[in-house]
Amino acid sequence: MNMFCRTTAVIAALGFFATPVLAEDLVFTLNNFSSLGLVEFYTSPAETNDWEEDILGENTLAPGMSGEVLIADGRTQCTYDLLFVMSDGQELEDTVNMCELASYTLQ
């Protein structure tokens, strides 16, 4: 199952340098090794107070399943808050460095 958060990448300038920097897409594998289905999944840059849109949309991630997550939000930062909503309504939150993340596992 593929999950995508699609936005347009933007080019930003750093300080006084005229060299543009292209924001990197963040890609990782989400493993649901818990006993519950994942019904909603939100990410947001750590310094913001609002969650972005639900990455799963109308999809779910069943127990034992994995999927590739792409965050292409045009930002150049690495630290993101994650919010997982499970099929029983339980909410799990975490803050991670997405630039160093190859996979994330729910247990």
Side-chain angles (χ1 to χ4, degrees):
M1 167 184 294
N2 288 324
M3 298 168 283
F4 297 96
C5 177
R6 298 179 184 164
T7 57
T8 305
V10 295
I11 296 176
L14 287 176
F16 296 105
F17 298 103
T19 306
V21 175
L22 184 60
E24 291 186 34
D25 292 345
L26 302 170
V27 180
F28 65 98
T29 301
L30 178 60
N31 303 303
N32 183 6
F33 295 159
S34 75
S35 61
L36 300 169
L38 177 62
V39 296
E40 296 175 37
F41 174 43
Y42 303 91
T43 65
S44 182
E47 77 275 352
T48 63
N49 293 324
D50 295 317
W51 293 107
E52 303 287 329
E53 65 186 58
D54 177 13
I55 290 176
L56 294 178
E58 294 182 18
N59 297 311
T60 61
L61 190 60
M65 300 299 294
S66 298
E68 187 174 84
V69 176
L70 168 66
I71 300 175
D73 61 7
R75 294 182 172 100
T76 58
Q77 71 180 56
C78 292
T79 306
Y80 277 76
D81 293 328
L82 309 177
L83 172 63
F84 304 96
V85 180
M86 308 309 289
S87 57
D88 68 351
Q90 177 180 210
E91 295 184 356
L92 308 168
E93 289 188 44
D94 200 358
T95 301
V96 297
N97 180 333
M98 302 289 280
C99 296
E100 297 177 359
L101 191 70
S103 66
Y104 188 96
T105 301
L106 293 166
Q107 296 186 356

